[in-house]
């Protein structure tokens, strides 16, 4: 399988800020890849390098087999891009803006454009200056999805959208992915990434700190178990991989290293189980491992 995006050792500095400090990311063709990290981690800078908007000081990048700095024109024919904070031409209507943006890639598919305006509940007649942040975001999203692209680069695309529009957005990502397109989705909304992405790269301070499928990354974490069992609590507490065991209303509640799950479940079932709930580790827990007790959303406010 070829890779839609490859970047190795990207370095980018702004004055004294080292925005990218040897960042690596690989996105296979046809996959929906989550690009996760708190604000300031370097996601947008990476994306701007991949789009040829910024030149990396060091490292190598390739997008659809081309060099983004030298071949930006060719790349942009095949790439739909949605920035996190969309700036519009104040005097163009939403519809004109959509046509201008999709025109760079050969023009919108009229039926698709009409359907997207409907689904995103966007009035295309208003001038750019009259749109709220959420509506500006919708203009960029309709433009991105109104003509098929080989690669969708979406940088915090749903900031400012309400939950209904978030689900419209997710349906569009699933549609283009089913058609074989590649999607790079930068986000700090973990549930969005969890629902859409097969693989993720987690970035911190300009470097990728984890990369892999959600299943692989979950392997590094713990599953929470609540079980009503005849097994002896003290014996379970001493099993390999079991942490923080407590007794609550006749049930045992504990966490278990996901790679020790099988052994622990074996012991429980041998003793007899009447009820059992297992909660798989979330991406949120993965984040906590890397960012201490601060969630990425909170880091922004610090
Ligand atoms: P993210 O997209 O993950 O929020 P960014 O790539 O926007 O992170 O930012 C990475 C770092 O680079 C931050 O410290 C940010 O302040 C800095 N930075 C980004 N763009 C610029 C710029 N044009 N000038 C100066 N500093 C910048």
């Amino acid at each position: 399988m070829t890779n839609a995006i490859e970047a190795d050792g990207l370095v980018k500095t702004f004055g004294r800020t080292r925005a990218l400090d040897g960042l690596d990311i690989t996105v296979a063709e046809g996959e929906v890849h989550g690009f996760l990290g708190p604000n300031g981690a370097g996601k947008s800078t990476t994306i701007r390098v991949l789009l040829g908007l910024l030149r990396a000081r060091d490292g190598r990048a390739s997008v659809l087999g081309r060099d983004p700095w030298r071949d930006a024109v060719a790349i942009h024919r095949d790439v739909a891009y949605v920035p996190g904070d969309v700036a519009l031409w104040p005097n163009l209507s939403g519809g004109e803006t959509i046509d201008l943006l999709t025109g760079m890639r050969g023009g919108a598919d009229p039926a698709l454009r009409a359907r997207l305006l409907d689904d995103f509940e966007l009035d295309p007649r208003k001038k750019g200056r009259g749109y709220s942040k959420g509506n500006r975001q919708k203009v960029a999203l309709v433009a991105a999805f109104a003509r098929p692209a080989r690669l969708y680069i979406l940088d915090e695309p749903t900031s400012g959208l309400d939950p209904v529009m978030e689900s419209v957005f997710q349906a569009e990502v699933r549609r283009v992915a089913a058609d074989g397109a590649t999607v790079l989705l930068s986000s700090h909304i973990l549930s969005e990434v969890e629902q859409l992405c097969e693989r993720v790269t987690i970035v911190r301070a300009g470097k990728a700190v984890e990369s892999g499928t959600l299943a692989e990354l979950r392997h590094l974490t713990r599953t929470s178990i609540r079980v009503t069992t005849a097994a002896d609590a003290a014996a379970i507490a001493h099993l390999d991989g079991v942490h923080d065991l407590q007794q609550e209303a006749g049930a045992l509640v504990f966490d278990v290293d996901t790679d020790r799950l099988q052994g622990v479940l074996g012991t429980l079932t041998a003793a007899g189980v009447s009820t059992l709930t297992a909660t798989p580790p979330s991406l949120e827990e993965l984040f906590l491992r890397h960012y201490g007790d601060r969630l990425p959303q909170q880091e922004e406010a610090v």
Side-chain angles (χ1 to χ4, degrees):
M1 194 190 284
T2 50
N3 291 321
I5 295 175
E6 278 176 23
D8 297 309
L10 292 183
V11 174
K12 179 72 197 173
T13 51
F14 296 105
R16 286 201 194 144
T17 307
R18 215 169 162 82
L20 300 182
D21 188 19
L23 186 131
D24 304 320
I25 182 168
T26 304
V27 179
E29 207 153 321
E31 90 182 3
V32 182
H33 194 103
F35 197 24
L36 279 165
N39 283 321
K43 303 180 300 294
S44 295
T45 304
T46 305
I47 284 175
R48 292 166 66 78
V49 169
L50 296 175
L51 292 167
L53 294 168
L54 284 177
R55 188 171 199 177
R57 194 170 103 177
D58 207 352
R60 197 187 61 83
S62 139
V63 174
L64 300 174
R66 296 173 187 271
D67 178 323
W69 187 252
R70 287 202 316 259
D71 300 329
V73 173
I75 288 173
H76 281 270
R77 278 190 208 113
D78 291 325
V79 174
Y81 165 53
V82 177
D85 196 3
V86 177
L88 297 182
W89 291 269
N91 204 36
L92 295 190
S93 70
E96 287 169 329
T97 304
I98 289 165
D99 294 334
L100 186 62
L101 291 172
T102 47
M104 287 165 59
R105 301 191 285 119
D109 168 334
L112 200 49
R113 182 185 184 280
R115 205 258 302 148
L116 288 162
L117 286 173
D118 220 38
D119 286 0
F120 278 107
E121 295 173 11
L122 179 71
D123 177 356
R125 290 164 303 183
K126 274 197 198 166
K127 296 274 191 203
R129 61 171 162 266
Y131 284 118
S132 64
K133 159 138 177 76
N135 280 329
R136 290 201 300 276
Q137 216 62 37
K138 289 180 186 181
V139 169
L141 285 165
V142 171
F145 291 119
R147 181 185 176 88
R150 267 178 79 192
L151 172 62
Y152 294 77
I153 296 185
L154 311 174
D155 189 0
E156 303 269 358
T158 57
S159 47
L161 291 193
D162 61 46
V164 176
M165 292 305 142
E166 168 73 36
S167 69
V168 173
F169 164 76
Q170 292 193 6
E172 290 309 309
V173 171
R174 291 201 177 94
R175 175 179 65 80
V176 300
D179 287 344
T182 308
V183 180
L184 176 64
L185 171 63
S186 143
S187 180
H188 63 264
I189 305 171
L190 302 181
S191 58
E192 176 177 275
V193 171
E194 227 159 10
Q195 285 178 52
L196 291 173
C197 301
E198 300 128 58
R199 290 180 69 239
V200 302
T201 295
I202 299 178
V203 53
R204 174 181 195 164
K207 282 197 180 82
V209 290
E210 296 279 8
S211 190
T213 64
L214 284 176
E216 282 163 359
L217 297 186
R218 283 199 172 109
H219 214 65
L220 304 168
T221 62
R222 293 175 184 171
T223 301
S224 302
I225 303 281
R226 168 180 282 270
V227 61
T228 333
T229 173
D232 176 52
I236 300 296
H238 285 104
L239 287 178
D240 216 13
V242 169
H243 306 268
D244 306 328
L245 184 131
Q246 291 174 17
Q247 288 180 281
E248 281 177 19
L252 300 182
V253 180
F254 56 90
D255 292 336
V256 54
D257 294 338
T258 305
D259 54 356
R260 302 276 175 208
L261 198 52
Q262 198 164 344
V264 173
L265 288 180
T267 308
L268 288 171
T269 44
V273 167
S274 29
T275 68
L276 184 136
T277 328
T279 312
S282 63
L283 266 182
E284 195 161 310
E285 284 163 71
L286 258 178
F287 260 94
L288 289 175
R289 274 167 41 96
H290 286 294
Y291 299 106
D293 55 0
R294 285 186 299 172
L295 283 178
Q297 289 93 327
Q298 292 164 333
E299 194 147 311
E300 185 180 6
V302 175

